[in-house]
Amino acid sequence: MKALISVDMEGISGIVHSSETNPERYDYQRGRELMTAEANAVIAGVLDAEPTAEVLVADAHGTFRNLLPERLDRRARLVRGKPRALNMLAGLDGATDAALFVGYHVRAGEGPGVLAHTMNGEILDVRVTARAPGDDVRATGRSLGEIGLNAAMAGHHGVPVVLLSGDDAACAEASGLLPGTVTVPVKEALGMAAAVTLHPEEARDRLRRAAADAVTRRTEIPPLALPGPLEVEVDLASPHTIDLAVLVPGVARARGARTVAFTAPDFGTAYRLILLLAQLATIRPA
């Protein structure tokens, strides 16, 4: 059995502020330690259920260089650094049996949710509509944040997301998108930078038990399937990013001043284009 554990930081127990998630801020080292400990709890849970499993851990926050390699469970392999294919899901392929999302957060504009955003904060919303030939709508447009985008990319490879942890808002978002996925709320969001959180050791105990249960039930949990062709609209925070985005073949301005749109033959193509738009958003005017 092969499992991919994708670990973000904002949804880790005890973390409520950007000073704990930003390498340039004073409390970041503490955030790294909390993040690594929760990753270890999930690794242990997977291996409790499947002692011979191959476990990959994708560092999926910011620079993708947050997890402490020397403190990570030695039975797992770590994927770190960027840029890289599949971004937060690096290591995922058709041989993967289960994906587990740890420390995830609710999408931009939802909440209250701790440190809610989508990707780098420059993407305000992503709406995806699946259409059959002849414009027969198969699925109405739905807004996707990092939970939905990554779950759909896993689904594109036929891989179910069997576990998700984060605050209560992130768990609610996952439950609405991913029937059957085991969710572990490790804190209750009170706002963007406030929460009632479990003690980190209690959170780890719950994660270990839940990961073992989720992996055991992996064949009962369906992947998120968004079959193409897909119509995608992306709302961007900066007009400059829109000016850059429309230089990409197939991307055009859409309704309003903040939106671009494109059509993709499948979700794999859509995912890569969305990642590219997020990267364009980091380019500032000369």
Side-chain angles (χ1 to χ4, degrees):
M1 201 278 282
K2 179 179 178 181
L4 176 73
I5 303 172
S6 173
V7 190
D8 206 349
M9 204 170 192
E10 289 87 354
I12 298 295
S13 176
I15 287 180
V16 298
H17 195 274
S18 60
S19 66
E20 298 159 324
T21 65
N22 186 332
E24 298 179 359
R25 303 294 293 276
Y26 75 97
D27 221 6
Y28 170 67
Q29 182 62 27
R30 175 174 169 273
R32 298 180 77 190
E33 292 169 357
L34 292 169
M35 180 186 183
T36 304
E38 286 202 7
N40 281 337
V42 175
I43 295 167
V46 171
L47 293 171
D48 287 344
E50 295 280 351
T52 62
E54 176 188 357
V55 181
L56 287 177
V57 178
D59 190 323
H61 173 71
T63 62
F64 296 170
R65 301 192 310 273
N66 309 278
L67 291 167
L68 300 168
E70 68 278 11
R71 296 195 189 177
L72 198 69
D73 190 316
R74 65 187 300 169
R75 297 172 293 176
R77 291 185 296 149
L78 173 62
V79 186
R80 71 192 306 258
K82 67 189 326 183
R84 65 195 192 198
L86 296 189
N87 204 49
M88 296 174 74
L89 296 180
L92 183 91
D93 59 27
T96 306
D97 297 290
L100 301 91
F101 293 173
V102 180
Y104 270 55
H105 52 81
V106 73
R107 66 185 178 85
E110 289 297 301
V114 175
L115 299 171
H117 67 279
T118 297
M119 295 190 178
N120 54 14
E122 295 293 328
I123 291 182
L124 303 177
D125 193 17
V126 178
R127 294 176 298 280
V128 178
T129 300
R131 292 188 182 274
D135 284 343
D136 177 29
V137 177
R138 287 200 300 265
T140 57
R142 58 173 67 182
S143 292
L144 301 177
E146 290 173 32
I147 293 171
L149 292 170
N150 288 323
M153 190 60 189
H156 178 67
H157 288 270
V159 180
V161 177
V162 300
L163 175 91
L164 179 134
S165 72
D167 66 15
D168 56 330
C171 290
E173 182 178 324
S175 295
L177 281 170
L178 309 170
T181 296
V182 176
T183 59
V184 184
V186 298
K187 54 194 172 188
E188 177 187 349
L190 300 178
M192 187 69 170
V196 179
T197 117
L198 294 177
H199 188 283
E201 291 181 2
E202 175 64 22
R204 293 165 204 161
D205 287 346
R206 295 187 187 189
L207 284 167
R208 182 169 183 168
R209 292 193 299 268
D213 176 51
V215 166
T216 300
R217 297 198 292 109
R218 64 187 181 274
T219 59
E220 304 169 17
I221 301 171
L224 176 60
L226 293 180
L230 299 167
E231 295 179 0
V232 182
E233 290 187 337
V234 183
D235 294 344
L236 297 161
S238 168
H240 178 67
T241 306
I242 293 176
D243 292 341
L244 293 173
V246 296
L247 299 177
V248 178
V251 177
R253 296 177 189 270
R255 56 184 178 80
R258 293 184 179 271
T259 305
V260 296
F262 61 88
T263 300
D266 53 50
F267 194 82
T269 303
Y271 185 82
R272 288 175 172 83
L273 266 172
I274 293 164
L275 294 181
L276 177 59
L277 295 179
Q279 289 304 305
L280 292 177
T282 66
I283 300 173
R284 298 294 176 232

